[in-house]
Amino acid sequence: MRRSSSSEAIGLERFAKLGIRRDLDLILHLPLRYEDETRLIPIGDTRAGDHAQVQGQVTRAEVTLRPRKNLLVDIDQDGARMTLRFLNFYSSQVRQFTEGQWIRAIGEVRSGLFGREMLHPRYRLVEPDTPLSKRLSPVYPSGAGISQTMIRVAVRKALQQYQWPETLPESLGRRLRQQAGGMGGSTDSALRLLHAPPVDVSHAALAEKSHPAWQRIIFDELLAQQLSLRRARLSRGTQQAHGLPRLPLPQASEAPGRSDLVAGLIASLPFALTAAQRRVVGEIGQDLALEVPMNRLLQGDVGSGKTVVAALAACQAIAAGFQVALMAPTEILAEQHSRKLAPMLEALGVRCAWLAGSVKDADKRKVRAAIAAHQVDLVVGTHALIESTVQFARLGLAIIDEQHRFGVEQRLKLRAAGWQERIPHQLMMSATPIPRTLAMSYYADLDVSVIDELPPGRQPIQTRLLGAGRRDELIERIREAVAEGRQVYWVCPLIEESETLDLQTAIDTREDLAAALAPLEVGLLHGRMPAAEKQSVMARFVAREVPVLVATTVIEVGVDVPNASLMVIEHAERFGLAQLHQLRGRVGRGTAQSICVLLYQGPLSETGKARLKTMYETQDGFEIARRDLQIRGPGEFLGARQSGLPLLRFADLERDADLVEIARDMATDMLRDYPELADKHLHYWLGGREEFLKA
Ligand code: ADP
Ligand code: MG
């Protein structure tokens, strides 16, 4: 921000908290809503609940001390009275309210003990004929230590100093007007209108953002997003990776030659790949063979078999003489990958290693040395893989499981670990399906492969909703299931405010269940356990030594124990939809009929009800994601960390889907034909925040 900037004097940091770092950001700091100070409502006509501006003469100003300190000011207009009530006030303020003084107040009308009142209204001392405002008054998003007045003053100054440039070339402007009707004016005029709308503007159109001024701003914001994504993609095209060619994938029936690692792995699998798996293996294989870094997201619902696809990609890279890193968000998951993949791959001559936080320092050093000396082909691990002490000899492919759990910085670090100035190919995996509109914007820079088919023989999971009062019946069901040789997960919710409490719940639940189910053994798994202990509990569960496992959400992602066929989720109403879907996906992985019991505690909130109903009604990850998006909105759905993008502030991907499409088309043309204007547009809208997009 420039030194003389308007906001500097009043605390840059406080403004920075609102995302305002430049004067330009002030201009983009658009009102949340408006107050109508253009008209006065006669006091006698106001009703409780109205948001109104009134005017009257002071008849009484009194400080009362009980039940608490209050300043009460009565104003009167033609015999109708309104009480203005203040809980925090200065004594100088009290003195302003001399009898007969005209006051103009704006706020919500309530019906108090003694008739109409307003709590903490905004007010001004006026003459009876002081002119009314000709424009709606903006109410801005604000934060601690910043008043509306401070923001209004700063915005007004910024608007005086700057004119927002027109960045849309004439021809595209014309196209926009044709494709999105009613969008006439310039960005600058739209911004000015939104900061101070004239009286006659439709309030509803402003509130719903359907007003042409809003539409123009939303379009500009989407265009900035599309331009930056497009550009990140183009710049990736100019970057180099090592091409990792492969031998063609044999047909399912053919006996593969042992010389081909990919074919070798396929031959050693106890199952045949599904058609969808074969297709995505093909897509990934083609990308890997190119000298352009792959940036591909592998999507498949929980249980669709992404791991083996990743292993095949790894084989292709390893056969081409490169190293592969497979990173997972938790030790449990990373350890499971390692445990499953290492024996299969080692049998084919692949050298595997394991690196996670819990590995002893001396062993870590050994593994790092082996990685640096290319004595390791595949290293599986957690964040420990991207510590600066890890130096790959020839990293050709980085695979990131459950990518939504990682931040953009972490993915960037893996990219930076390439060899000879070349960037490793990147394969990201996620079971969280992304609805189409989101994919089009946030993930426009990714290629996406979808596994849209589950391995054969899977039966749909039955979902039951059960009130917490019927816990005893459930215990009986568990006993029966175990008697039939099944295994059971019992998940306790995370208690946000207190990790210790969370832990205690899990410990208590385990004890209760162990007592109720005696002599059956009940295991316990939670996030605070030492990694070695977690691993041994998981190992015993996998080996069927423990029939029932009480766990916190540490098992949410990726855990794969096909024999487990009963999942109980306690306090299901406290979980988010994506989490519930992931948890439910821990069962239904074998051929047995699986059941997921959602144990809930009433009374349920509206959102809680909507979520449980969704879980009951559908098992389709895409449908669940779509409803989740409806319930939560895209910002929360993705999380700022995950998207790495400045979240869209004004646009709504569902509501503005049409504009997303237009912006996407225009971004392509603009980058090709008007690169300077594209630069300018990005500078004005994102101002340096684009770096993250290159992940
Ligand atoms: P996710 O996509 O959730 O990561 P996994 O890769 O863990 O799923 O696979 C789930 C289970 O399905 C694993 O036990 C895996 O061995 C098995 N599996 C994967 N592909 C097939 C297939 N084509 N046929 C049968 N079972 C398969
Ligand atoms: Mg998985």
Side-chain angles (χ1 to χ4, degrees), residues 271-274 277 302-307 340 455 458 560 589:
F271 48 74
L273 294 181
T274 62
Q277 282 170 322
V302 288
S304 61
K306 295 183 290 292
T307 315
K340 282 189 154 179
R458 297 274 172 83
D560 182 38
R589 306 190 141 235

Side-chain angles (χ1 to χ4, degrees), residues 625-651:
R626 204 184 59 74
R627 296 209 204 169
D628 202 18
L629 183 63
Q630 266 172 5
I631 300 177
R632 290 196 295 168
E636 255 190 272
F637 181 89
L638 287 167
R641 281 182 74 234
Q642 186 197 340
S643 66
L645 271 177
L647 285 175
L648 292 170
R649 282 184 287 170
F650 309 125

